Amino acid sequence: MVPEESTDLIERLGWEIHGPYTDGGYVELERHTPGGEDWIVTLNVGPDADDDELARQAYDAYMGFDIAEELQPLIDGRGMRGIPDDVFLLFADQIWKEIELDKLWQVARFGEFTGLDGLHIAAYEALMAIAQPPLKAARASR
């Protein structure tokens, strides 16, 4: 279970917390990406989990995230089942996901978001420049 002191911090990052699911000892964190994907991250934290376990699980999710692995099925299905057709938007979404996982583990570990590294700052700024709603609408209308 997500420790109560961490719940507010995680929700402030934009995540909805579902669970705990006692049948497997896990929780699901859900949110929508800028591209509109309904994204769920599963953390194996049982009912007796503490902040350290939550931080370990969040760190594992962050370190195990592979942009190419996440992107390929979306490219294969683009334009179908609600997947945007724009490959650039799909790629930007994956960068956004990695950044959000970085934020999640920092909040779980340190109780606050401590900042992005240099590569993530550049990627994040580029993503935010293209993820603004008017620009997304302009790209979609092309």
Side-chain angles (χ1 to χ4, degrees):
M1 180 153 113
V2 176
E4 191 170 324
E5 50 276 3
S6 298
T7 300
D8 288 343
L9 296 170
I10 291 170
E11 288 175 342
R12 275 192 257 147
L13 288 176
W15 295 95
E16 292 179 37
I17 302 171
H18 304 288
Y21 298 103
T22 55
D23 60 335
Y26 66 96
V27 296
E28 291 178 334
L29 304 181
E30 179 180 15
R31 63 187 305 186
H32 289 89
T33 68
E37 181 184 347
D38 184 16
W39 181 39
I40 296 174
V41 173
T42 302
L43 301 178
N44 296 317
V45 289
D48 298 325
D50 58 11
D51 281 333
D52 289 338
E53 183 59 27
L54 175 65
R56 277 191 295 277
Q57 289 292 318
Y59 183 76
D60 288 349
Y62 168 59
M63 292 305 293
F65 187 80
D66 183 321
I67 289 177
E69 185 176 300
E70 295 288 324
L71 183 60
Q72 190 59 54
L74 296 171
I75 289 173
D76 293 343
R78 66 192 181 119
M80 299 182 291
R81 298 180 318 270
I83 299 172
D85 195 36
D86 187 333
V87 174
F88 183 76
L89 181 58
L90 294 174
F91 179 66
D93 249 14
Q94 303 323 299
I95 294 171
W96 180 86
K97 286 178 183 180
E98 186 174 55
I99 290 167
E100 293 306 305
L101 287 171
D102 187 0
K103 290 179 183 180
L104 176 66
W105 94 262
Q106 287 184 44
V107 163
R109 172 64 177 93
F110 304 112
E112 64 180 330
F113 173 56
T114 59
L116 299 171
D117 61 33
L119 290 174
H120 277 138
I121 291 171
Y124 187 75
E125 288 174 350
L127 175 60
M128 290 300 102
I130 61 107
Q132 301 305 313
L135 186 53
K136 279 182 22 181
R139 289 184 59 79
S141 67
R142 287 192 231 169

